[in-house]
Amino acid sequence: MRKIFAVSAAAALTACALTSTPTHAAAFATVGTGWRITSQLGVTSISPSKTYTITFATEAMRKRYTPLLAPAVTQINAVGVHLKIGGVEAVNPAKCGPAYHVQITEMYRPMGKAGFSQGMPCPNPPKGVGIGGIVAYDSEYWTGYPIKAYTLRNTLVHEPLHALGLDHPNQRDATGTEIPHGCVATSYGNIPIMCSPNGGYKTITSMGHLTGFDTAGLKALLANAKAQGIR
């Protein structure tokens, strides 16, 4: 269960993001079959050469999340994005951290709703090339909140993908509102892990992995950077 940062301790950062005018969206592909880029926040691409590092607010979080994120990190690297799992550093959910860091912390109901977590990229990076972002997982996941194993694993991967620049690929109604679960599916019925809410694989062996739709989104982020001549 997840959405891009909109409320709570991240309000200051979001206000800045949503009142800024993106300047890099028009020239690039920002939406495709099963994927969408967070171009409304000025992110259109990802660096093909910089290394992005996942960091954690505490050592306990590093130990908890590292093995749960590792399979997806391997997939992300296979696409061509350079991503590694790092160590511990201070996280302020209302302010982006060091460039090319995806900072992870926990908060009680960061969206103000039980079970929902948050993730967003740092808004309006230079030339539209993402520089990382912030993730706040709902701390309730670890205190008895009833959440299915596959929903949890998929959520833990969904949020860092927001920080790297992917948005929900949901179809939208006439008012522009996302249609819940309204995403393209594979022939097996699997929807993108970035679909909201609760996309991704449901089996024990595949939960927490990106679908082909999601890796296509990462490839689009890389292609947009290369189209700019960014190496």
Side-chain angles (χ1 to χ4, degrees):
M1 299 179 184
R2 53 270 167 151
K3 289 186 179 180
I4 294 176
F5 271 83
V7 294
S8 196
L13 179 59
T14 305
C16 173
L18 297 181
T19 56
S20 299
T21 301
T23 58
H24 307 286
F28 308 104
T30 58
V31 62
T33 302
W35 58 268
R36 184 184 298 270
I37 292 173
T38 317
S39 55
Q40 74 273 24
L41 296 183
V43 177
T44 57
S45 56
I46 197 168
S47 174
S49 59
K50 297 288 188 180
T51 296
Y52 295 80
T53 303
I54 297 174
T55 63
F56 305 89
T58 67
E59 176 64 13
M61 291 182 201
R62 186 192 69 79
K63 290 180 178 178
R64 169 177 285 165
Y65 294 116
T66 292
L68 300 177
L69 294 173
V73 170
T74 298
Q75 279 186 287
I76 292 167
N77 278 283
V79 169
V81 177
H82 303 287
L83 179 66
K84 68 178 183 179
I85 296 180
V88 175
E89 66 180 355
V91 178
N92 179 351
K95 181 180 179 181
C96 280
Y100 306 106
H101 282 205
V102 174
Q103 295 187 306
I104 289 178
T105 190
E106 294 175 353
M107 297 171 59
Y108 177 73
R109 300 187 180 182
M111 285 292 295
K113 186 175 181 180
F116 279 73
S117 293
Q118 300 176 322
M120 79 170 273
C122 298
N124 295 320
K127 298 183 179 180
V129 183
I131 56 171
I134 301 174
V135 170
Y137 293 130
D138 185 1
S139 59
E140 290 180 291
Y141 297 156
W142 312 107
T143 58
Y145 180 79
I147 185 169
K148 295 176 180 177
Y150 66 81
T151 300
L152 174 61
R153 288 291 297 275
N154 291 336
T155 298
L156 298 183
V157 173
H158 175 110
E159 301 302 348
L161 288 174
H162 270 319
L164 291 175
L166 292 185
D167 199 357
H168 301 152
N170 297 54
Q171 299 169 9
R172 300 171 188 250
D173 63 21
T175 68
T177 302
E178 292 177 354
I179 299 172
H181 309 288
C183 299
V184 64
T186 67
S187 58
Y188 294 97
N190 298 304
I191 59 177
I193 201 170
M194 291 308 295
C195 192
S196 177
N198 307 333
Y201 296 114
K202 297 182 179 181
T203 64
I204 293 294
T205 55
S206 297
M207 62 184 184
H209 288 71
L210 282 66
T211 69
F213 300 122
D214 305 297
T215 57
L218 292 174
K219 290 176 182 178
L221 285 165
L222 287 168
N224 287 346
K226 291 177 181 178
Q228 285 182 263
I230 296 170
R231 305 299 178 193

